[in-house]
Amino acid sequence: MTATFRGVIPPVLTPFNADFSVDTESLRRLVDRLIDGGVDGLFALGSSAEMAFLTRENRRVAVSTIVDQAAGRVPVIAGVIDMTTPRVAEHVADALASGAQGLVATAPFYVRTHRNEVIEHFRLIHEMAPDVPLFAYNIPICVHYTLDAGLLIEMAAAGYIHGVKDSGGVDAATRAMVDAKRAAGLDEFLVLTGSETTVDLAYLCGVDGVVPGLGNVDPAGYVELARLCTEGRWEEAAALQTKITSLFGIATAGDPARMGGSSAGLGGFKAALVHLGVFDSGRMAPPHQALNDEELAVIGRVVDEYGLK
Amino acid sequence: MTATFRGVIPPVLTPFNADFSVDTESLRRLVDRLIDGGVDGLFALGSSAEMAFLTRENRRVAVSTIVDQAAGRVPVIAGVIDMTTPRVAEHVADALASGAQGLVATAPFYVRTHRNEVIEHFRLIHEMAPDVPLFAYNIPICVHYTLDAGLLIEMAAAGYIHGVKDSGGVDAATRAMVDAKRAAGLDEFLVLTGSETTVDLAYLCGVDGVVPGLGNVDPAGYVELARLCTEGRWEEAAALQTKITSLFGIATAGDPARMGGSSAGLGGFKAALVHLGVFDSGRMAPPHQALNDEELAVIGRVVDEYGLK
Amino acid sequence: MTATFRGVIPPVLTPFNADFSVDTESLRRLVDRLIDGGVDGLFALGSSAEMAFLTRENRRVAVSTIVDQAAGRVPVIAGVIDMTTPRVAEHVADALASGAQGLVATAPFYVRTHRNEVIEHFRLIHEMAPDVPLFAYNIPICVHYTLDAGLLIEMAAAGYIHGVKDSGGVDAATRAMVDAKRAAGLDEFLVLTGSETTVDLAYLCGVDGVVPGLGNVDPAGYVELARLCTEGRWEEAAALQTKITSLFGIATAGDPARMGGSSAGLGGFKAALVHLGVFDSGRMAPPHQALNDEELAVIGRVVDEYGLK
Amino acid sequence: MTATFRGVIPPVLTPFNADFSVDTESLRRLVDRLIDGGVDGLFALGSSAEMAFLTRENRRVAVSTIVDQAAGRVPVIAGVIDMTTPRVAEHVADALASGAQGLVATAPFYVRTHRNEVIEHFRLIHEMAPDVPLFAYNIPICVHYTLDAGLLIEMAAAGYIHGVKDSGGVDAATRAMVDAKRAAGLDEFLVLTGSETTVDLAYLCGVDGVVPGLGNVDPAGYVELARLCTEGRWEEAAALQTKITSLFGIATAGDPARMGGSSAGLGGFKAALVHLGVFDSGRMAPPHQALNDEELAVIGRVVDEYGLK
């Protein structure tokens, strides 16, 4: 069942109207652009979707729009991320009603959490929809808890999770997950990396796919990168990875004295999509800080020099 | 206007029915017990309320029950805590509809946040209800961002916030807030400490009140402690503080090898309230781990030896 | 024996000649100024002494000069701080040869350390000089390990340590040490706070003394503050503490965009002592960054307005 | 000049006699074993050498023994690691007197440090021996400061450092160093990874060599791994890396409830070398905790099953 969630699965950004409702037309254009770029799946309501800034209603609109526009061309997995189990339960119901084919949950956050409590959290989410593949999302920079290989394999062996999206940023840890699943004979357990700058390395470690935020801007680049990896053309892959990484200039144009990494990063992605004609507006949910004209000009130049469109 | 939010303002726990709906009867008994104990106000939907585990509906039930049962005897402030501004906005509307007379918000969390974004966050919340006192909640252990004296005073001077609930755990920082507000001539800005074990110290620094989780179990003790402080009977206060701190044995009975600090701490508070006949059940929201019989027996003994009831 | 290490025990700064040898004449003037100010003891080779920047030879010169100049008027305890036990052993031998009457050691640092290893570390240091009082120095900001009340009391009960210098910055933790020693019947175990801005609070918690870096600049102020505390004049103490804290303006004059907290803080202390005629030079050991003329002028004004000399 | 510091350069362990002097005979056997295994250089006095536990005299003995035994067959670089510049200066003099051909220094530690102070630190060390290649050692787990690509390239461009040993554990950061040096036209700047479990990945990123602690136990394995990488046989490299990683079982045999990671890790390496007949004793410097017989038996089995000797 989970065999379909492999390859390049970008976390889809959320464009906004002026009143911060979801701009569904821009969102549909993005979905088409991603699928046209060759991606293997879509991840709705990830961190890149400004999921943390979306009301429950906006989350529902985003995921149902993505599922509707994907129209079965590629599978859609949906984040059900919230502080604790009872709140996640509501998102699970919404995501399934919207037609998502897989779920992605983090460890609890805001609250201080014990390993046993993390396991119970995923066990309960799994019980909410036992037939739907559930991915654990390792993102310690946001959640301040690390899902390590031992914990993941324990939950996989118990049947609670079908895979992991690892945004921990440490390739040695990603590799440890791959090695541990193989040692445990859990070959069907999927390891997806969230790293945008070491996709080649992650594939060399044996991951099953990648969830690249930057893939919103250059989906075809990541698709080509994954293809080179699966064909064993590692040095070409490394060279392409370095080229793609240069596109990250769009995510660092925002002045760190004025705004945080999310404003600069997601704002840069959105600005690039405006520059490329995909989004009508690059506005970000409050309290994000807006990029100024000078920063937007830098982003436009980076996109042009990179050669997109 | 904010002059009323002084003194002992416990963060009210949330009792649950078997289906994890709010047990409003137990909650009403707790509200009465707190008011009978002499508290000066009630803080609904704080961390101690398992707010992070409550659905939006459960939050509404909790705060409206507390407001209704308080019936104007003491003021009620309500937490509107969520990841970012758009989600907080929903809780603001709910809290005001439920009759809360003040609001409490943290910095954004899950997302990485810049100082400018924190200020914008509080500015926007203030704009949602400009006539309602808004308290900033400094709780870095949950939010992973520290609201320091400089930031607070900047927001106070701009009129965004009316006070702070400081659960940072560092009395020197609490004192810096008091000294800074005085230096800025912002005497009406309220500094409330969330520390349960240094109330005397915080009062000696000049705080306006305390929000003690342990005050759910011994409200009268904290009321007496605050009275000793305001009367300048510091050594008696210190001795009483040490005695009250011994009651914290109820919060550490849970085995740290089996559960996290929230399960042990809030679980201990709830178990004590069951022991005292206030709550029908000590159950905690998932994925909290339950205390076992041996641990519950320890809690009962600590409560009895302390001499409550 | 340890009963003498109570009260105000400043960590003595280290003045340098142009070649970064110890300027013993300036150091002798500082020692006299501190003793004339009424201090109860001297702490040589603490963090404020730029101990981390001193070669073994410079450490020897510093402590022997301090002991010689103190001439028995007040006791001298000496830091023996280094990464691990074998290196600390050399400093123990040096300190004792120089006439220090007590020793101060941190947990191991640079290396990752287990609780058992910390205990073994202090046990071995104690064995090097079983008749000399050994103080554990809790300074997690430097050592990245916290000595908590439970660990300290275990080592005190075993006879390894005679007291703690707590620079952890959390008064609740300092109080827990005092409460724990009393509960264990270890009344002779000394708790000294390293906090310069909450001396009154620490005394209200029951500490035996204070080791204030800022006491290099205003020893008489801290002596008066400790006296008010021991006389139970808490509100006068709090007011004096707030006044003394204002002198910290000398430690924050250095531009944080240009230098670290140590350069600004210790540099400010040294600059104040130059301004007061105690030190010939305020130079700091490399790679500290120097304060500029504008910053030095600010420091001079803060000292003058405070009313020193 | 620095062109020679490429390839596999293990950080040489330090065997001890019963009095914790350096067991030079065991050390000479280890040096021979490493060189016989094909390594390209030796790193004396790194973290794996228990450098933090060595007195100045023991450091001198260790590095001079290694240089003497290497006898020019491979180059030797020496750690000069200490808290700050004046203390590092002594180690620089010692290392050069002992014949080391390169130096390795960390950022200052124990003290809180500003970027400008880190640069000044390396500038001054470089000035002590301007003709000797100086490597910056990025090891935030010990030093609690991260040397990032921007800082390194700034220091490289200024001529202060000739390379970096990156033990930061994040391959994306290692890659950023490689990409940054290339973008800056600093092709001679050497990037060595300290990661033992992602050597293949680091080589695919373009590093110049590896400094593997585990290379003390299986030098030939790492030499073969590096060869496969330089020949572009990436999948064979990845498979070999996974095999070598399995040898890490020797570093985790020690019970984490009883000892820290250094005791278990370096203790495991030493125990393996005893098992292989290279070291006479596996004793570790205090306050390390010793492995017990059961743990030593596990280590022996891991070594045997791996197939060494």
Side-chain angles (χ1 to χ4, degrees):
Chain A
M1 169 176 60
T2 65
T4 53
F5 298 105
R6 295 174 186 271
V8 178
I9 307 172
V12 186
L13 297 182
T14 308
F16 292 116
N17 295 311
D19 63 355
F20 293 107
S21 59
V22 178
D23 171 1
T24 55
E25 298 213 8
S26 289
L27 181 53
R28 288 178 186 277
R29 283 197 297 273
L30 176 58
V31 168
D32 281 349
R33 176 179 162 83
L34 296 174
I35 296 174
D36 293 347
V39 305
D40 303 287
L42 298 171
F43 173 26
L45 301 180
S47 304
S48 299
E50 292 172 82
M51 160 279 302
F53 301 79
L54 299 182
T55 61
R56 187 173 170 189
E57 174 60 20
N58 269 351
R59 287 195 187 198
R60 277 191 292 239
V61 173
V63 68
S64 59
T65 301
I66 292 168
V67 169
D68 183 68
Q69 189 67 19
R73 291 178 287 173
V74 298
V76 177
I77 53 177
V80 291
I81 296 164
D82 214 317
M83 296 184 240
T84 61
T85 324
R87 295 169 64 89
V88 168
E90 297 190 329
H91 301 304
V92 169
D94 291 352
L96 297 179
S98 297
Q101 294 149 276
L103 302 172
V104 185
T106 67
F109 53 93
Y110 185 89
V111 299
R112 288 167 294 160
T113 308
H114 186 278
R115 193 178 195 277
N116 286 351
E117 293 158 1
V118 173
I119 294 172
E120 176 71 356
H121 180 66
F122 281 102
R123 187 185 72 78
L124 288 168
I125 299 171
H126 168 66
E127 280 194 354
M128 295 172 201
D131 297 331
V132 179
L134 171 62
F135 289 80
Y137 189 174
N138 182 42
I139 186 162
I141 200 171
C142 292
V143 169
H144 303 279
Y145 186 92
T146 297
L147 302 173
D148 61 29
L151 176 57
L152 290 165
I153 295 310
E154 180 175 338
M155 295 196 295
Y160 304 158
I161 58 173
H162 288 72
V164 60
K165 186 214 161 180
D166 182 22
S167 293
V170 178
D171 291 300
T174 310
R175 165 171 273 170
M177 295 172 194
V178 173
D179 289 349
K181 84 169 191 184
R182 290 175 177 167
L186 294 165
D187 290 336
E188 290 305 301
F189 182 77
L190 297 176
V191 179
L192 309 176
T193 180
S195 170
E196 292 145 309
T197 61
T198 60
V199 175
D200 52 337
L201 310 188
Y203 267 88
L204 186 52
C205 293
V207 301
D208 302 286
V210 56
V211 185
L214 190 60
N216 281 276
V217 183
D218 186 15
Y222 277 100
V223 168
E224 169 71 2
L225 175 52
R227 192 177 61 79
L228 290 172
C229 292
T230 53
E231 294 178 358
R233 297 159 64 185
W234 297 106
E235 283 154 44
E236 290 169 81
L240 179 55
Q241 175 66 80
T242 292
K243 179 181 188 310
I244 292 176
T245 298
S246 74
L247 184 55
F248 249 107
I250 63 174
T252 55
D255 182 359
R258 217 178 75 242
M259 65 181 65
S262 179
S263 292
L266 298 181
F269 290 175
K270 286 186 155 183
L273 288 172
V274 171
H275 186 77
L276 291 167
V278 181
F279 277 7
D280 286 341
S281 160
R283 72 171 62 83
M284 306 189 69
H288 276 124
Q289 301 290 294
L291 297 161
N292 63 27
D293 288 348
E294 191 180 343
E295 293 159 346
L296 293 173
V298 169
I299 291 165
R301 277 199 301 277
V302 171
V303 170
D304 293 342
E305 285 166 15
Y306 183 84
L308 277 175
K309 254 307 165 47
Chain B
M1 168 178 58
T2 66
T4 54
F5 299 104
R6 295 174 187 273
V8 178
I9 306 172
V12 186
L13 297 183
T14 307
F16 291 116
N17 294 311
D19 63 355
F20 294 107
S21 60
V22 178
D23 171 2
T24 55
E25 298 214 11
S26 288
L27 181 53
R28 288 178 186 276
R29 282 197 296 272
L30 176 59
V31 168
D32 281 349
R33 175 178 161 84
L34 296 174
I35 296 176
D36 292 347
V39 305
D40 302 287
L42 297 172
F43 173 27
L45 301 180
S47 304
S48 300
E50 291 172 84
M51 159 281 301
F53 300 79
L54 299 182
T55 60
R56 186 172 172 190
E57 175 59 19
N58 269 352
R59 288 196 187 199
R60 275 192 294 241
V61 172
V63 68
S64 59
T65 301
I66 292 168
V67 168
D68 183 67
Q69 188 68 18
R73 290 178 287 174
V74 299
V76 176
I77 52 178
V80 291
I81 296 163
D82 215 318
M83 296 185 241
T84 63
T85 323
R87 295 169 64 89
V88 167
E90 296 189 330
H91 301 304
V92 168
D94 291 350
L96 296 179
S98 298
Q101 294 150 278
L103 302 172
V104 185
T106 67
F109 52 94
Y110 185 91
V111 299
R112 288 167 295 160
T113 309
H114 187 277
R115 193 177 193 277
N116 287 351
E117 293 158 1
V118 174
I119 294 173
E120 177 71 355
H121 180 65
F122 282 102
R123 187 185 72 77
L124 289 168
I125 299 172
H126 168 66
E127 278 194 355
M128 294 171 201
D131 297 331
V132 179
L134 172 62
F135 289 80
Y137 189 173
N138 182 43
I139 186 162
I141 200 172
C142 293
V143 170
H144 302 279
Y145 186 92
T146 296
L147 303 173
D148 62 29
L151 176 57
L152 290 166
I153 295 308
E154 180 176 336
M155 296 197 293
Y160 304 157
I161 58 172
H162 288 72
V164 60
K165 186 214 160 179
D166 182 22
S167 293
V170 178
D171 291 300
T174 310
R175 165 171 271 170
M177 295 173 193
V178 172
D179 289 350
K181 84 169 193 184
R182 288 174 178 167
L186 293 166
D187 290 336
E188 291 306 302
F189 182 78
L190 297 177
V191 179
L192 309 176
T193 180
S195 170
E196 293 145 308
T197 61
T198 60
V199 175
D200 53 335
L201 310 189
Y203 266 87
L204 186 53
C205 293
V207 301
D208 301 287
V210 56
V211 184
L214 190 59
N216 282 275
V217 183
D218 186 15
Y222 277 100
V223 169
E224 169 70 3
L225 175 53
R227 191 177 61 80
L228 290 172
C229 292
T230 54
E231 293 179 359
R233 296 159 65 184
W234 298 106
E235 284 153 44
E236 291 169 81
L240 178 55
Q241 174 66 80
T242 292
K243 178 181 188 312
I244 291 175
T245 298
S246 73
L247 185 54
F248 249 107
I250 64 174
T252 55
D255 181 1
R258 216 178 76 240
M259 65 181 66
S262 179
S263 292
L266 298 180
F269 291 175
K270 285 186 155 182
L273 288 172
V274 170
H275 186 77
L276 291 167
V278 181
F279 276 8
D280 286 342
S281 161
R283 72 172 61 82
M284 307 191 67
H288 277 124
Q289 300 291 294
L291 297 161
N292 62 27
D293 288 347
E294 191 180 343
E295 293 159 346
L296 293 173
V298 169
I299 290 166
R301 276 198 301 276
V302 171
V303 170
D304 292 341
E305 285 166 14
Y306 183 83
L308 276 175
K309 255 306 165 51
Chain C
M1 169 176 60
T2 66
T4 54
F5 298 104
R6 295 174 185 273
V8 178
I9 306 173
V12 186
L13 298 183
T14 307
F16 291 117
N17 295 311
D19 63 354
F20 293 107
S21 60
V22 179
D23 171 1
T24 55
E25 299 215 7
S26 289
L27 180 54
R28 288 178 185 276
R29 283 196 296 272
L30 175 58
V31 168
D32 281 349
R33 175 180 161 83
L34 295 174
I35 296 175
D36 292 347
V39 305
D40 302 287
L42 298 171
F43 173 27
L45 301 180
S47 304
S48 299
E50 291 172 83
M51 160 280 302
F53 301 80
L54 299 182
T55 60
R56 187 173 171 188
E57 175 60 18
N58 269 352
R59 288 196 187 198
R60 276 192 293 241
V61 172
V63 67
S64 59
T65 302
I66 292 168
V67 168
D68 184 66
Q69 189 67 19
R73 290 178 288 174
V74 298
V76 177
I77 53 178
V80 291
I81 296 163
D82 215 317
M83 295 184 240
T84 61
T85 324
R87 295 168 64 89
V88 168
E90 297 189 330
H91 301 305
V92 169
D94 291 351
L96 296 179
S98 298
Q101 294 150 275
L103 302 172
V104 184
T106 67
F109 54 93
Y110 186 89
V111 298
R112 288 167 293 161
T113 309
H114 187 277
R115 194 177 193 275
N116 287 351
E117 293 159 0
V118 173
I119 294 172
E120 176 72 354
H121 180 65
F122 281 102
R123 187 186 72 77
L124 288 169
I125 299 172
H126 168 66
E127 279 194 355
M128 295 171 201
D131 298 332
V132 179
L134 172 62
F135 289 81
Y137 189 174
N138 182 43
I139 186 162
I141 200 171
C142 293
V143 169
H144 303 279
Y145 187 93
T146 296
L147 302 173
D148 62 29
L151 176 56
L152 290 166
I153 295 309
E154 180 176 337
M155 295 196 294
Y160 304 157
I161 58 172
H162 288 72
V164 59
K165 186 216 161 179
D166 182 23
S167 293
V170 178
D171 291 300
T174 310
R175 164 171 273 171
M177 295 172 193
V178 173
D179 289 350
K181 83 169 193 183
R182 289 176 178 166
L186 294 166
D187 290 336
E188 290 306 302
F189 182 77
L190 297 177
V191 179
L192 309 176
T193 180
S195 170
E196 292 145 308
T197 61
T198 60
V199 176
D200 52 337
L201 311 189
Y203 267 88
L204 185 52
C205 293
V207 302
D208 302 286
V210 55
V211 184
L214 190 59
N216 281 275
V217 182
D218 186 15
Y222 277 100
V223 168
E224 169 71 3
L225 175 52
R227 192 177 61 79
L228 291 172
C229 292
T230 53
E231 294 178 357
R233 296 159 65 183
W234 298 106
E235 283 153 45
E236 291 170 81
L240 178 55
Q241 175 66 81
T242 292
K243 179 181 188 311
I244 291 175
T245 299
S246 74
L247 184 55
F248 249 106
I250 64 175
T252 55
D255 182 359
R258 217 177 75 242
M259 65 181 66
S262 179
S263 293
L266 298 180
F269 290 174
K270 285 186 156 182
L273 288 172
V274 171
H275 186 75
L276 291 166
V278 181
F279 277 8
D280 286 342
S281 160
R283 74 173 58 83
M284 305 189 70
H288 277 125
Q289 300 290 294
L291 297 161
N292 64 26
D293 289 347
E294 191 180 344
E295 293 159 346
L296 293 173
V298 168
I299 290 166
R301 276 199 302 275
V302 170
V303 170
D304 292 342
E305 285 166 15
Y306 183 83
L308 276 175
K309 252 304 163 50
Chain D
M1 168 178 57
T2 65
T4 54
F5 299 105
R6 295 174 186 271
V8 178
I9 307 173
V12 186
L13 297 183
T14 308
F16 292 117
N17 295 310
D19 63 355
F20 294 106
S21 59
V22 178
D23 171 2
T24 54
E25 298 215 8
S26 289
L27 181 52
R28 287 178 186 277
R29 282 196 297 272
L30 176 59
V31 168
D32 281 350
R33 175 179 161 84
L34 296 174
I35 296 175
D36 293 347
V39 305
D40 302 287
L42 297 171
F43 173 27
L45 301 180
S47 304
S48 299
E50 291 172 84
M51 159 281 301
F53 300 80
L54 299 182
T55 60
R56 187 173 172 189
E57 175 60 18
N58 269 352
R59 288 195 187 199
R60 277 191 292 241
V61 172
V63 68
S64 59
T65 301
I66 293 168
V67 169
D68 184 67
Q69 188 68 18
R73 292 178 286 174
V74 297
V76 177
I77 54 177
V80 291
I81 296 162
D82 215 318
M83 296 185 240
T84 63
T85 324
R87 295 168 63 89
V88 167
E90 297 189 330
H91 301 304
V92 168
D94 292 351
L96 297 179
S98 297
Q101 292 150 278
L103 302 172
V104 185
T106 67
F109 53 93
Y110 185 91
V111 299
R112 287 167 294 160
T113 309
H114 187 277
R115 192 177 194 276
N116 287 351
E117 293 158 0
V118 173
I119 294 172
E120 176 71 355
H121 180 66
F122 282 102
R123 188 186 70 78
L124 289 168
I125 299 171
H126 168 67
E127 279 195 354
M128 294 171 201
D131 297 332
V132 179
L134 172 62
F135 289 80
Y137 188 174
N138 183 43
I139 186 163
I141 200 171
C142 293
V143 169
H144 303 277
Y145 186 92
T146 297
L147 303 173
D148 62 29
L151 176 57
L152 290 166
I153 295 309
E154 180 176 337
M155 296 197 294
Y160 304 157
I161 57 173
H162 287 72
V164 60
K165 186 216 160 178
D166 182 22
S167 294
V170 178
D171 291 299
T174 310
R175 166 171 270 170
M177 296 172 193
V178 172
D179 289 349
K181 84 169 193 185
R182 289 176 177 165
L186 294 166
D187 290 335
E188 291 305 303
F189 182 78
L190 297 177
V191 179
L192 309 176
T193 181
S195 171
E196 293 144 308
T197 61
T198 60
V199 175
D200 52 336
L201 311 189
Y203 267 88
L204 185 54
C205 293
V207 302
D208 303 285
V210 55
V211 184
L214 190 59
N216 282 275
V217 182
D218 186 15
Y222 277 100
V223 168
E224 169 71 2
L225 175 53
R227 191 176 62 80
L228 291 172
C229 292
T230 54
E231 293 179 358
R233 297 158 65 181
W234 297 106
E235 284 153 45
E236 291 169 81
L240 178 56
Q241 174 67 80
T242 292
K243 177 180 189 311
I244 291 176
T245 297
S246 73
L247 185 54
F248 249 106
I250 63 174
T252 55
D255 181 1
R258 216 176 77 239
M259 65 181 67
S262 179
S263 293
L266 299 180
F269 291 175
K270 285 186 155 182
L273 289 172
V274 171
H275 186 77
L276 291 166
V278 182
F279 277 8
D280 286 342
S281 160
R283 71 172 60 81
M284 307 190 67
H288 276 124
Q289 301 290 295
L291 297 161
N292 62 28
D293 287 348
E294 190 181 343
E295 293 159 346
L296 293 173
V298 169
I299 291 166
R301 276 198 302 274
V302 171
V303 170
D304 292 341
E305 285 165 15
Y306 183 83
L308 277 174
K309 253 307 164 49

